[in-house]
Amino acid sequence: MAITYFKRYRLEIDLGEWLPEPLLPKGYHWIGWEESLLGVHADAQFRSFYSELDSAVFPCLGDRCGCLRLLREIRRKPGFLAEATWLVGYGLGICGTIQGVVEPGAVGSIQNLGVVPEHRGLHLGRALLIKSLLGFHSHGITKAVLEVTAENSNAIHLYRSVGFRKAKTLYKASEV
């Protein structure tokens, strides 16, 4: 196996007084965190990432069991924040997921924002992101961060449109 380095950006946003209302299209609905839904989050995460570049950067995202392990690890973090962790449902199905963790220094950290391919283009990612940021804000968190692969121009555009700005460039080594 060869090692490949992926360029990633750490983006940050100051959570001021104003955050827009996270709107969902007709027929979609919010599902808040429940322990019993951990596997549902993992399935939505897998369906969102398995054929994307990020599954090369983080191989666990391209594997159902890997997603479940990752979600269990996120849930066990001391800073896991249920109010920043959401699913978007459509009918009886799930089509989007996001998790939030408070890092040391009281910084909100967005984890694994994903929308399954057949529901993209409806601004669900934007709604999930804002809903999670509002969860941090409601707990007095004034700054949030996330990491994104530099080649993921759609995600970068979304994050910048909400107010994130580049704080640092990182390189992630991965075996491919």
Side-chain angles (χ1 to χ4, degrees):
M1 291 218 163
I3 301 275
T4 299
Y5 291 90
F6 293 94
K7 186 177 184 178
R8 293 181 49 83
Y9 299 131
R10 183 172 175 102
L11 305 180
E12 62 183 35
I13 187 172
D14 291 322
L15 301 176
E17 293 299 314
W18 178 84
L19 284 171
E21 184 67 28
L23 302 174
L24 291 176
K26 185 176 175 124
Y28 291 83
H29 57 275
W30 295 111
I31 302 170
W33 171 258
E34 290 182 30
E35 208 64 46
S36 64
L37 296 176
L38 189 129
V40 176
H41 276 273
D43 182 64
Q45 186 178 54
F46 169 75
R47 291 185 300 121
S48 297
F49 289 104
Y50 77 94
S51 64
E52 301 296 327
L53 175 62
D54 281 343
S55 68
V57 180
F58 300 99
C60 65
L61 295 174
D63 176 74
R64 285 184 189 277
C65 292
C67 286
L68 186 57
R69 281 191 308 273
L70 178 59
L71 264 292
R72 285 183 179 141
E73 287 177 24
I74 289 169
R75 174 58 189 101
R76 283 194 294 260
K77 288 184 176 203
F80 175 80
L81 186 60
E83 293 85 349
T85 301
W86 293 92
L87 291 167
V88 170
Y90 182 75
L92 298 176
I94 302 298
C95 54
T97 181
I98 193 168
Q99 302 90 48
V101 174
V102 179
E103 294 181 348
V107 173
S109 178
I110 298 291
Q111 308 287 305
N112 309 307
L113 167 58
V115 175
V116 299
E118 55 272 20
H119 291 270
R120 292 182 184 158
L122 301 171
H123 306 289
L124 300 177
R126 179 182 182 84
L128 277 161
L129 180 60
I130 293 168
K131 189 79 163 170
S132 187
L133 293 174
L134 286 168
F136 290 131
H137 189 261
S138 73
H139 279 265
I141 305 299
T142 60
K143 179 180 174 184
V145 298
L146 58 80
E147 288 185 13
V148 61
T149 303
E151 292 178 43
N152 192 342
S153 59
N154 289 337
I156 291 169
H157 176 75
L158 163 65
Y159 300 141
R160 287 189 174 151
S161 76
V162 171
F164 278 87
R165 64 189 179 285
K166 186 167 73 168
K168 186 187 287 189
T169 300
L170 311 160
Y171 292 90
K172 165 82 168 99
S174 186
E175 290 183 1
V176 268

